[in-house]
Amino acid sequence: MQQYLNIFQQLATQYFRQDRAVSEPISAKDLKKIIDFSLGFEGADVEALKQAASQYLTYQPDSAQVDFFKLLYSGRNDPALLGDWVTSLSNANMHTYQMSPVATLMEQELIHQWNRLIGFTNDSKTGDGIMVSGGSQANLIGMMMARHRACPELKTAGMSAQKLVAFVSDQAHYSGQKAANLLGIGTDNLIAVASDSEGRLCPDALLEAVEHSIAQGHKPFYIGLTAGTTVVGAFDPVPKCRAIADKYNIWLHIDGAWGAPVLFSKTHRHLLKGCELADSFAWDAHKLMNVPLTAAVVLTRHQGMLEQTCGGGGGDYLFHSDENAAYNLGQKSIQCGRRADALKVWLSWKAMGNKGFSDKIDRLQDIKQGCVNTINASSQLHMIGPSPYLNVLFQYRPEVSLNEVELRALNISICKTMQAQGGAFVDYAKYQGQTGIRLILANSDTQTNDIERLLEHCIKTGDSLAKAS
Ligand SMILES: Cc1ncc(COP(=O)(O)O)c(C=O)c1O
């Protein structure tokens, strides 16, 4: 063991050096020439393992650096890293209290706190929840509870002839399609409702779509709102959609995988106004809370619903009726083996406190606003979407007039060129017909001058690419 600990320490020290490039882009074809990926009959020695682990880290984009803007998370979280390492060390399993006593109670406390932030738990009511592998699984379970409430017999009898129909906005994450596929709803029966110019689902369009579906003899059962859409960070309007859900007895889920942490901030929590009216809620700790993947939760205000929907089986050998039976969280999950993700989330929440998350969001929102102001003041950069949260989507436009196809090609080239130069790692995204550079502000260490440097780099790269073409 000691030799592995030594190797780990050496690799970690090297990995955390400040002068690493954010990424070392390389094609799969070239990477196969450098690293020996083959597995064989004979085992390899520790040196070979060390080399492979080191090569793994060399080509791994470094999401901890301030120049990493590509994904909905960035930065290093030392308390959470400690939790992740200890979790691997213990190899705990979260199906039963017996197999993870401490992490089970940590998960319960986390679920209590998340529910309080949403408003599912207060002096008169108590919400429920279970940690899951990510927002995609949280959205799946949200839709599964909705299906179970609409048609409880499906759990045992399987699909019926009744056509179930689900609704999300045209800006919703693709995990809705995966859920509709997995649950036998069919992706054709997941309706993408129009969003407005701010990227928010239009309640009038939702009402029309629900009534159209009923007129066709179908059964609407699920409305999935998004809190923080993936591309522009829009927040769908909850109260108006709740009224529609109530009118037709439809389950209302909120996908807060990205935007939910805004609830920590007194200044910005208004973006999720009315979220306590939802039936269920998805929240990723591995995005803005910056806990290493994977850590997420699905929450619901309906006690018992998770267990009714997901529970069943395992009574013969795993879920014993002992004095701790009430603490066996596995019956609320669709998994059997489940990692103790609670530890890293709990340690990092303990270290930061609610105030730490609130300060992070307020600071990043201020930096975001400065970034938007700089873009708006620039003659070459143009915002192409709203920016209510921590996403900034903008387009570089040269002096000569280009059509949208040409602008798309140019902005994609800017992202690729900057990455290839070992500079900032940004990505491009399409929103309402236009393609631009998507910047995600998620790293607590980001400073205004990092953003100014990035925008200047975009302009410089755009100018030289435009000149060369
Ligand atoms: C709005 C939204 N929902 C859900 C997801 C999926 O989350 P996960 O990657 O944790 O499955 C994402 C991922 O980016 C997202 O942006």
Side-chain angles (χ1 to χ4, degrees), residues 232-233 235 258-259 261-263 265 267-271 288 357-373 387-392 441-444 446 448:
V232 297
F235 286 72
W258 167 226
V262 84
L263 289 170
S265 161
T267 314
H268 299 286
R269 62 173 295 136
H270 64 89
L271 288 168
L288 197 67
F357 291 114
S358 168
D359 290 349
K360 171 176 178 172
I361 287 156
D362 292 350
R363 233 191 105 253
L364 287 176
Q365 280 279 30
D366 288 349
I367 293 176
K368 183 280 307 275
Q369 197 48 54
C371 172
V372 172
N373 294 345
S387 183
Y389 191 42
L390 300 169
N391 313 40
V392 182
L441 283 151
N443 191 330
S444 309
T446 301
T448 296

Side-chain angles (χ1 to χ4, degrees), residues 17-194:
R17 317 191 306 263
Q18 293 299 311
D19 60 345
R20 287 188 69 222
V22 183
S23 67
E24 300 271 352
I26 183 166
S27 72
K29 222 166 142 190
D30 288 341
L31 195 53
K32 282 186 195 175
K33 287 183 200 149
I34 296 172
I35 300 179
D36 177 10
F37 288 100
S38 66
L39 295 171
F41 185 69
E42 296 289 342
D45 60 16
V46 178
E47 270 313 304
L49 305 189
K50 181 179 171 187
Q51 193 196 1
S54 170
Q55 287 171 316
Y56 167 89
L57 289 176
T58 300
Y59 295 102
Q60 181 56 36
D62 187 356
S63 63
Q65 293 197 28
V66 289
D67 283 339
F68 182 88
F69 297 103
K70 178 185 160 61
L71 297 180
L72 304 177
Y73 59 86
S74 170
R76 210 173 81 211
N77 179 339
D78 293 338
L81 267 183
L82 172 66
D84 210 45
W85 295 333
V86 173
T87 302
S88 292
L89 187 67
S90 67
N91 204 16
N93 203 325
M94 295 295 283
H95 38 39
T96 55
Y97 172 83
Q98 209 180 24
M99 275 317 300
S100 338
V102 176
T104 295
L105 299 186
M106 285 175 168
E107 179 162 339
Q108 286 196 326
E109 172 63 8
L110 288 168
I111 284 165
H112 174 68
Q113 293 297 339
W114 274 314
N115 273 313
R116 281 179 61 88
L117 284 163
I118 293 167
F120 286 169
T121 293
N122 58 27
D123 292 342
S124 57
K125 55 186 182 180
T126 311
D128 201 359
I130 187 78
M131 288 189 69
V132 292
S133 59
S136 300
Q137 193 191 134
N139 291 336
L140 170 74
I141 306 292
M143 194 184 282
M144 197 170 159
M145 286 191 283
R147 191 191 71 169
H148 188 69
R149 199 186 56 169
C151 304
E153 69 285 355
L154 285 194
K155 182 175 175 182
T156 47
M159 295 309 288
S160 69
Q162 172 82 77
K163 194 173 264 193
L164 295 173
V165 183
F167 305 83
V168 291
S169 97
D170 58 12
Q171 297 298 313
H173 187 256
Y174 66 84
S175 50
Q177 291 172 40
K178 303 242 181 230
N181 174 4
L182 270 160
L183 295 173
I185 306 302
T187 51
D188 288 351
N189 299 314
L190 177 71
I191 308 298
V193 176

Side-chain angles (χ1 to χ4, degrees), residues 316-378:
D316 294 344
Y317 79 104
L318 187 63
F319 298 112
H320 302 307
S321 308
D322 57 20
E323 72 280 15
N324 292 312
Y327 293 89
N328 292 339
L329 302 183
Q331 288 287 12
K332 296 180 189 179
S333 172
I334 55 166
Q335 296 171 231
C336 174
R338 199 163 60 94
R339 199 167 186 266
D341 293 329
L343 175 62
K344 60 190 170 189
V345 185
W346 189 95
L347 285 177
S348 116
W349 197 326
K350 187 79 176 169
M352 288 188 67
N354 290 29
K355 182 175 182 308
F357 291 114
S358 168
D359 290 349
K360 171 176 178 172
I361 287 156
D362 292 350
R363 233 191 105 253
L364 287 176
Q365 280 279 30
D366 288 349
I367 293 176
K368 183 280 307 275
Q369 197 48 54
C371 172
V372 172
N373 294 345
T374 305
I375 291 169
N376 285 336
S378 151

Side-chain angles (χ1 to χ4, degrees), residues 385-462:
S387 183
Y389 191 42
L390 300 169
N391 313 40
V392 182
L393 185 67
F394 63 96
Q395 206 172 46
Y396 166 88
R397 292 181 197 152
E399 269 172 31
V400 290
S401 165
L402 300 181
N403 64 31
E404 182 48 39
V405 174
E406 293 162 331
L407 283 172
R408 175 178 162 84
L410 178 56
N411 280 270
I412 292 174
S413 290
I414 293 173
C415 295
K416 290 189 170 165
T417 306
M418 292 201 307
Q419 196 199 348
Q421 290 167 347
F425 195 169
V426 286
D427 207 355
Y428 56 91
K430 196 171 183 181
Y431 175 70
Q432 297 189 346
Q434 292 183 297
T435 299
I437 299 167
R438 187 188 71 156
L439 191 67
I440 299 292
L441 283 151
N443 191 330
S444 309
D445 296 332
T446 301
Q447 306 288 334
T448 296
N449 59 0
D450 296 315
I451 302 297
E452 298 292 332
R453 188 163 37 86
L454 169 76
L455 297 179
E456 279 165 26
H457 195 179
C458 286
I459 294 173
K460 234 194 226 163
T461 312

